Amino acid sequence: MFKLKSKYLRFTYLFFASALFLVHYIFPINQTIQLVFFGLGVLFFGIPHGSLDHFIYHHERKELMSIKSLANFLLFYLGFALLYSLLWVISVELSILVFIIISAYHFGEMDLKSLGLKANLGSRALFSIYGLLFLVNYLLYQFPQVEAILLGFPGFDYSQIEKLKLLYGYQMEVMISSILLFIPVLLIYLIRNKQMGFLQLEAILQLALLMLIVFNLPILLGFGLYFNIWHAGLSMVEIKKFLGWQDKSYWFIYRKSWVTNGLSFLMIAILFMVFRGNVERLLAIFFMAIAILTAPHMKVISSFFSKER
């Protein structure tokens, strides 16, 4: 697994996404199976792609792993996570907003990697614009399901949901405006940097198909497909290449990160036991945990992506 090149892996994932969409369209998948699909995706793709951060951290610094270097990594990683955890205590609304902004850049950096963009301020702005427009439109398009999850966040009440409902009635207008904004910005960037070609057109069409599918699936299937398979799967390919593990198997990755994987699996098992029967609260707590770890994870991943560009 993951031995295909990133280009061909994207086609494979798009084929799987199309098949999943057709199956759900013909034989609607019930919520229990959707939850199993989402959970298995987290276990086999989502968590492992983030559990290699300490290897990336050391490899980037050309350091041998030692007690001192691991302590430095944990200080950096858990320090970021602790600061963001404090933000949840101060303001749930602000913490969710920060999470969306951080995730926007992180998703944009991975999705637009196939465009072959140069490392400069313009490409970073492009990542953020793309990711932000994707997340805002996705949250609006899936708002009834998103609303139930948001109400599952501790400290988030219905009065705060009312503010978001103002935009819900205009989701189509927001989507059209987003497309009309992003496409010209992207074209101007590509033309100015002399990077407009078949490769870029192919990547844009792939993303358009992916978004069409993701937006029209229930959130457990759609976001599970996007985050656990597309994002995490493609990230794993880049991580393996960076670490020089191109020829290593998927199970080699699992064995290398058995401690961090094991702790994550234990946390998920506890969540399932505590919030069994309350899917919305379960997902809310899960996304909160992901949010806390996203800031240091994004910093680690972005550092080696920038070097590649």
Side-chain angles (χ1 to χ4, degrees):
M1 194 176 291
F2 297 121
K3 289 188 178 181
L4 288 173
K5 291 182 179 179
S6 179
K7 174 184 175 180
Y8 300 112
L9 197 60
R10 287 171 183 262
F11 281 117
T12 302
Y13 288 161
L14 285 173
F15 178 80
F16 174 78
S18 302
L20 180 66
F21 176 77
L22 287 174
V23 169
H24 181 69
Y25 182 78
I26 299 170
F27 306 104
I29 301 172
N30 65 49
Q31 191 180 58
T32 301
I33 297 177
Q34 291 180 34
L35 188 60
V36 170
F37 171 82
F38 184 83
L40 290 176
V42 169
L43 293 177
F44 289 103
F45 293 89
I47 288 173
H49 105 278
S51 63
L52 296 171
D53 286 353
H54 57 299
F55 288 102
I56 300 169
Y57 177 89
H58 285 89
H59 188 77
E60 184 194 1
R61 287 162 178 73
K62 297 180 173 57
E63 294 178 349
L64 292 175
M65 210 170 290
S66 64
I67 294 176
K68 181 181 178 182
S69 64
L70 279 173
N72 289 335
F73 169 77
L74 289 174
L75 184 64
F76 149 75
Y77 209 87
L78 298 181
F80 259 98
L82 179 60
L83 286 174
Y84 189 61
S85 299
L86 292 175
L87 186 59
W88 280 95
V89 177
I90 297 169
S91 171
V92 178
E93 286 179 293
L94 181 59
S95 60
I96 291 175
L97 178 61
V98 171
F99 175 47
I100 289 173
I101 293 172
I102 292 173
S103 298
Y105 181 86
H106 186 50
F107 290 156
E109 188 173 39
M110 184 69 250
D111 283 1
L112 300 184
K113 190 178 189 304
S114 58
L115 293 174
L117 304 183
K118 299 174 182 177
N120 54 38
L121 184 61
S123 65
R124 293 187 178 92
L126 203 60
F127 298 152
S128 298
I129 293 170
Y130 165 86
L132 194 58
L133 291 177
F134 159 59
L135 286 175
V136 167
N137 279 281
Y138 186 70
L139 293 175
L140 284 178
Y141 206 80
Q142 299 284 356
F143 187 76
Q145 296 175 77
V146 171
E147 179 181 13
I149 294 172
L150 286 175
L151 290 173
F153 281 108
F156 207 91
D157 56 49
Y158 196 78
S159 63
Q160 294 162 318
I161 294 286
E162 288 295 320
K163 302 172 187 176
L164 298 175
K165 277 191 173 179
L166 295 174
L167 281 175
Y168 177 51
Y170 300 95
Q171 71 264 43
M172 192 54 65
E173 288 85 351
V174 173
M175 183 175 291
I176 293 171
S177 299
S178 299
I179 294 170
L180 293 176
L181 168 66
F182 181 71
I183 294 300
V185 169
L186 176 61
L187 290 176
I188 290 170
Y189 176 88
L190 292 175
I191 292 170
R192 285 190 63 183
N193 287 274
K194 299 179 181 179
Q195 290 182 277
M196 190 65 193
F198 178 77
L199 178 71
Q200 285 72 29
L201 178 61
E202 181 183 49
I204 293 167
L205 291 176
Q206 287 178 353
L207 288 173
L209 175 60
L210 176 71
M211 295 307 159
L212 185 64
I213 294 170
V214 167
F215 273 61
N216 287 284
L217 284 171
I219 198 165
L220 285 171
L221 294 179
F223 192 76
L225 172 72
Y226 175 77
F227 176 72
N228 293 322
I229 297 178
W230 178 267
H231 175 76
L234 293 176
S235 295
M236 190 75 84
V237 171
E238 300 301 328
I239 291 169
K240 287 181 66 176
K241 184 169 67 175
F242 179 72
L243 295 175
W245 294 350
Q246 295 96 320
D247 297 326
K248 302 297 183 181
S249 70
Y250 177 70
W251 299 112
F252 171 85
I253 304 295
Y254 243 88
R255 290 195 302 272
K256 272 288 187 180
S257 53
W258 68 271
V259 174
T260 44
N261 282 332
L263 290 172
S264 301
F265 297 163
L266 178 62
M267 181 196 76
I268 291 174
I270 292 171
L271 288 178
F272 266 98
M273 290 173 63
V274 174
F275 300 108
R276 185 174 61 248
N278 189 342
V279 175
E280 286 75 22
R281 176 55 67 94
L282 172 64
L283 289 174
I285 300 299
F286 171 78
F287 282 123
M288 183 184 294
I290 292 295
I292 289 170
L293 296 175
T294 292
H297 171 68
M298 186 205 76
K299 175 66 176 172
V300 170
I301 296 294
S302 185
S303 63
F304 86 79
F305 273 4
S306 296
K307 287 183 178 180
E308 284 187 349
R309 293 194 300 271

